[in-house]
Amino acid sequence: MKAFKKRGALTHFQILSEISKQDPHLKQKDLANTLGITIQAVSENIKTLIEEGYITSKDGRSPYKITQKGIERVKKDAINLRRYSDSVLETMNHFKTVWPAIANEKLKEGEKVGVYMDDGVLYAGKVEASATGTVLKDASKYHDVPLGGLNGTIEMNVGEAIIITIPNIKDGGSRATDLELIKRVYENGTQHGSKIDRVATVGTVARSVAYQLDIPISIEFAAAQATANAARKGLNILALSVGEMTKAFIRELEEEKIKYNIIDGKK
């Protein structure tokens, strides 16, 4: 909201708004009570407004009068605030009243459908699911479909992450990496036997290792955050991380409370 980016701008707007009501008995104590700030804060703000020509006063005391410059500022800020408020209300009115999903078959407006998560993607179709919704517009298979009246709970398990640390180029890079170990982990999956859904790489050496093993890379940029996001959607991630870059993964996963396992990928 551009109008109130500067520190204290919102307080200035509130003080000017109160003074513009032209109450000759308006005191700093009244302003402090109305705005929920200290009298000292009111005094400092009024001093600034007087110096900037938005209000006039004798010796900084009441009665305070708003100048034409002050009136123009209040009008401008009020318009910006109204626009901002309107945009927020519009967003809130729409928020989660319409859910986007992928249609798993041809769907018609008004149909009741099951809503479920598969491979990290929200789908809708004529299936039994713990969550249901109503199709708001016709949609063909694999098209995005708007859903309303969502009821129930979308079943979604949190995935896991396996981080394999790889030597940096100074320590030998891919030549010093146990490629067979990585291949075995990729094929066997998590400790619980679940398959690896996505592969993340951090660093050129990690990318080289994936290329050499013909492992498809799904996540390359902002890998720590993307790995945590994918895990929250129920996906299991294998992350190939070079040296110290592993710390970023650990911080992100611990903050998001994602289960992870670290494996030393050096020969």
Side-chain angles (χ1 to χ4, degrees):
M1 187 167 47
K2 292 182 179 179
F4 304 124
K5 272 191 173 181
K6 292 183 179 179
R7 183 179 180 182
L10 180 57
T11 302
H12 288 176
F13 170 73
Q14 292 174 300
I15 291 175
L16 288 173
S17 298
E18 292 300 316
I19 292 175
S20 68
K21 296 175 182 178
Q22 298 183 341
D23 179 359
H25 303 293
L26 184 68
K27 307 292 185 183
Q28 290 189 10
K29 182 179 179 180
D30 300 323
L31 287 169
N33 291 334
T34 300
L35 274 59
I37 58 178
T38 64
I39 295 177
Q40 182 182 354
V42 170
S43 177
E44 292 173 354
N45 280 282
I46 283 180
K47 181 179 178 182
T48 300
L49 291 170
I50 291 173
E51 291 174 351
E52 294 179 355
Y54 292 115
I55 59 176
T56 59
S57 168
K58 289 184 179 180
D59 301 323
R61 300 175 181 272
S62 62
Y64 304 106
K65 292 185 179 181
I66 189 168
T67 64
Q68 187 60 38
K69 181 180 178 181
I71 292 172
E72 293 301 319
R73 173 170 175 177
V74 170
K75 286 181 178 179
K76 181 180 178 181
D77 287 352
I79 290 172
N80 288 333
L81 180 59
R82 182 174 63 188
R83 288 173 179 168
Y84 180 74
S85 299
D86 287 345
S87 68
V88 171
L89 287 172
E90 183 179 352
T91 301
M92 290 301 101
N93 289 335
H94 192 70
F95 183 68
K96 295 309 179 188
T97 58
V98 178
W99 289 70
I102 301 297
N104 69 359
E105 57 188 303
K106 187 175 182 180
L107 300 175
K108 292 287 187 180
E109 181 178 342
E111 286 183 324
K112 294 287 186 180
V113 293
V115 183
Y116 60 96
M117 189 75 73
D118 183 32
D119 198 30
V121 179
L122 192 65
Y123 286 93
K126 302 170 189 176
V127 296
E128 288 189 11
S130 57
T132 60
T134 302
V135 176
L136 300 180
K137 289 186 179 180
D138 293 354
S140 299
K141 187 174 183 179
Y142 298 138
H143 283 206
D144 52 314
V145 57
L147 303 174
L150 198 67
N151 290 307
T153 303
I154 299 173
E155 294 181 353
M156 183 172 62
N157 297 320
V158 177
E160 300 178 34
I162 299 176
I163 305 172
I164 300 182
T165 58
I166 296 172
N168 60 38
I169 196 68
K170 291 181 180 179
D171 293 330
S174 65
R175 297 168 184 79
T177 300
D178 190 340
L179 298 181
E180 287 300 319
L181 168 67
I182 295 174
K183 182 179 180 181
R184 189 163 58 251
V185 172
Y186 175 70
E187 292 176 346
N188 293 340
T190 68
Q191 290 179 320
H192 299 93
S194 300
K195 70 179 182 68
I196 299 297
D197 298 298
R198 300 287 189 275
V199 174
T201 60
V202 181
T204 302
V205 175
R207 189 176 294 109
S208 172
V209 168
Y211 288 162
Q212 292 177 51
L213 294 174
D214 197 27
I215 294 177
I217 301 172
S218 306
I219 303 170
E220 293 184 84
F221 307 105
Q225 296 90 332
T227 294
N229 288 336
R232 281 200 303 270
K233 293 184 178 181
L235 301 179
N236 297 309
I237 313 299
L238 172 62
L240 306 180
S241 177
V242 177
E244 293 296 312
M245 297 179 185
T246 303
K247 292 180 180 179
F249 270 97
I250 295 174
R251 285 196 302 269
E252 190 71 26
L253 296 175
E254 288 185 346
E255 285 179 6
E256 297 297 328
K257 296 180 173 57
I258 304 297
K259 291 182 180 179
Y260 67 91
N261 183 32
I262 300 178
I263 298 174
D264 186 356
K266 189 176 181 180
K267 287 181 180 178

